[in-house]
Amino acid sequence: EGGGGGGGGMRLKKKNFSIVLCNSVVQYYNSQKEIIDLVKSVKKIVNKNCYFLISDIEVVGYKKNYVKLFLNGLFHGYFISLLFMTFNLFLYKDYKKIEKKQKLLIVDCKKLIKKLKNIVPEIKLIDESLTANIGRKNILLRF
């Protein structure tokens, strides 16, 4: 049900979720504490044994490799859409300004997982790339 006025947003009364996905989001957070707060918030609205995937996490030591990125896109069949998106970004006149202003959160997954163990009983680090960003990590939580 929707919440009241004043920017309260949507309020969920029942635990209706068995799967929650958070893709390419946490790199825009300001700290790992915000990720922990996200997990606590999600835990409040999900069913027991719910899976929560936080994917495409920029981690310590990650370096963007454009050659691998495009080869991966070619191999997995999304090269044309990736190329189209890249050209659109470079044609967008404010892209460079946004890119310089936006500092991405670099996550130390080992430390994050250690802190999350107090909140979530089951956590798994997934090294497999789930997006075009090869080398980023993913964390699968089960409440």
Side-chain angles (χ1 to χ4, degrees):
E1 292 182 18
M10 182 179 259
R11 303 228 191 275
L12 301 169
K13 293 183 179 182
K14 293 183 181 180
K15 294 184 175 192
N16 293 320
F17 301 95
S18 56
I19 297 173
V20 178
L21 304 174
C22 178
N23 183 44
S24 297
V25 173
V26 299
Q27 67 262 30
Y28 300 109
Y29 282 16
N30 293 312
S31 69
Q32 287 191 178
K33 183 186 178 316
E34 289 183 6
I35 299 172
I36 294 166
D37 291 343
L38 169 69
V39 171
K40 288 177 181 177
S41 296
V42 168
K43 186 177 181 179
K44 292 177 185 177
I45 62 164
V46 298
N47 296 328
K48 186 177 180 187
N49 294 320
C50 172
Y51 286 97
F52 178 32
L53 178 66
I54 304 173
S55 62
D56 202 35
I57 303 169
E58 189 149 342
V59 294
V60 175
Y62 170 77
K63 291 182 179 157
K64 195 169 267 189
N65 183 326
Y66 291 103
V67 173
K68 281 186 179 179
L69 179 71
F70 283 108
L71 288 175
N72 190 45
L74 187 61
F75 180 74
H76 291 293
Y78 53 82
F79 178 77
I80 300 298
S81 59
L82 187 61
L83 195 60
F84 184 71
M85 180 188 73
T86 303
F87 282 129
N88 279 332
L89 284 174
F90 285 114
L91 292 174
Y92 179 60
K93 65 181 181 176
D94 292 329
Y95 176 70
K96 291 291 181 194
K97 292 179 196 173
I98 293 169
E99 189 177 44
K100 286 179 183 176
K101 286 181 183 178
Q102 181 66 52
K103 188 173 182 177
L104 299 179
L105 176 65
I106 308 297
V107 176
D108 183 329
C109 284
K110 288 181 183 178
K111 287 183 181 178
L112 177 62
I113 289 172
K114 188 176 180 180
K115 290 180 181 179
L116 288 173
K117 287 199 182 257
N118 297 325
I119 304 163
V120 182
E122 191 176 324
I123 303 170
K124 183 178 180 183
L125 180 66
I126 301 171
D127 287 327
E128 179 183 343
S129 293
L130 301 177
T131 67
N133 295 309
I134 299 168
R136 290 193 180 178
K137 305 294 182 199
N138 314 282
I139 297 176
L140 181 64
L141 305 109
R142 184 173 180 206
F143 295 104

